[in-house]
Amino acid sequence: MYNFSPCFDFKSVAPTATNLLICPDQYIANYAYSGGKWQLTPLDPSVSIEYDYDQNGNEKCRSRKRNTIAIILESPHKDEYKYINGVLVPIGPLTGKREVFTNNFDTAIQKSKIFKHLRPNTYNIALINAVQYQCSQGKALWSNKTNQAEKNNNVINSWHSGIKKDFMSRLKALRPCIIINLSGETFPIFSLVEQEIKNESSFAKHIANGMYTTGTHPSSWQKKLNNSPSAVLIN
């Protein structure tokens, strides 16, 4: 299964929703130190992450990779879904801005406070949406405050209706060595995600050892870089 709440009723929190498909979390790239430098290599195809419970009822990740860097996003938007042979299917997190993310991740993380904690190794980058449902319902968001408010309400209502627990179960199952919260510093979900991570004993060492940080949602990376090529994207 692709989350820990397969029976979640998204329609109950977003009555007008027509797309009820979740967008699975994915491993999308390797970030490795080789030949004296760091390099990000996108996976083709990306690997959708499957979750399950072990024999003791604890959350586990079937497709878990070692040295995972968990990148937390908000919720999928229009580009994360595509019609194939007339059927709507989820493609993956950050599909519309994936290239911007992969092209700028290396520079962004090397400027961040977390970079000093990386060891010459291979890290696996996983993208995780706090809410896996299309809370925007694919509607235009830029300069449309009505659609933005609807999306934000769907995100927050989903979070408080059971998705908070599901998200934390997914994150714990991945057992990431580094957590980067890019769910959107100006989005309502950001502080809720941060609060849960900081309150979770499993991630106490991440907070204490500087293995957790925040940053700007990748949807705005290009705009920030256009305004200032030296902009800080990951804190």
Side-chain angles (χ1 to χ4, degrees):
M1 58 187 180
Y2 292 121
N3 61 25
F4 291 100
S5 57
C7 297
F8 179 74
D9 183 10
F10 183 55
K11 197 84 170 175
S12 68
V13 297
T16 62
T18 56
N19 177 8
L20 305 180
L21 300 172
I22 68 163
C23 182
D25 304 332
Q26 289 184 339
Y27 282 106
I28 60 105
N30 295 326
Y31 187 56
Y33 187 81
S34 179
K37 65 179 181 179
W38 287 93
Q39 182 173 350
L40 184 142
T41 304
L43 298 180
D44 187 16
S46 299
V47 178
S48 292
I49 300 172
E50 295 188 59
Y51 301 98
D52 206 343
Y53 295 97
D54 64 20
Q55 60 184 6
N56 296 318
N58 299 314
E59 303 96 339
K60 72 173 184 178
C61 176
R62 290 182 184 176
S63 46
R64 178 181 173 271
K65 298 178 183 289
R66 293 175 58 85
N67 298 325
T68 291
I69 297 178
I71 306 291
I72 302 170
L73 304 171
E74 184 203 36
S75 67
H77 193 29
K78 59 182 179 181
D79 291 325
E80 282 66 58
Y81 297 85
K82 183 179 180 180
Y83 279 96
I84 299 178
N85 296 324
V87 178
L88 186 66
V89 297
I91 304 301
L94 205 62
T95 300
K97 301 295 182 180
R98 183 78 60 89
E99 186 174 356
V100 172
F101 176 82
T102 55
N103 286 346
N104 293 284
F105 177 82
D106 178 49
T107 300
I109 198 168
Q110 290 203 35
K111 290 181 179 178
S112 78
K113 61 185 179 183
I114 216 164
F115 184 70
K116 64 184 178 182
H117 297 292
L118 297 188
R119 299 291 179 261
N121 209 330
T122 296
Y123 292 88
N124 297 284
I125 298 178
L127 299 183
I128 309 169
N129 275 307
V131 180
Q132 293 176 313
Y133 292 89
Q134 190 188 44
C135 293
S136 70
Q137 286 301 292
K139 297 178 181 179
L141 297 175
W142 291 112
S143 301
N144 191 315
K145 293 185 178 181
T146 299
N147 290 349
Q148 290 174 15
E150 181 183 13
K151 183 266 293 182
N152 289 337
N153 286 337
N154 289 341
V155 169
I156 299 304
N157 289 339
S158 295
W159 181 261
H160 290 304
S161 298
I163 293 301
K164 174 176 68 175
K165 180 179 179 180
D166 169 70
F167 164 73
M168 290 302 293
S169 292
R170 286 183 281 126
L171 189 59
K172 287 189 289 184
L174 279 176
R175 289 188 283 166
C177 59
I178 292 172
I179 303 172
I180 304 177
N181 182 2
L182 302 184
S183 61
E185 292 173 311
T186 62
F187 296 166
I189 193 64
F190 177 84
S191 59
L192 296 175
V193 166
E194 181 162 84
Q195 180 181 354
E196 288 304 309
I197 291 173
K198 289 185 175 181
N199 288 343
E200 171 55 49
S201 60
S202 302
F203 302 132
K205 68 179 185 299
H206 293 75
I207 305 300
N209 298 329
M211 308 298 275
Y212 167 80
T213 193
T214 62
T216 305
H217 192 284
S219 63
S220 63
W221 278 17
Q222 193 60 62
K223 182 178 180 180
K224 289 195 71 172
L225 291 171
N226 289 343
N227 292 333
S228 173
S230 60
V232 174
L233 305 176
I234 299 176
N235 297 320

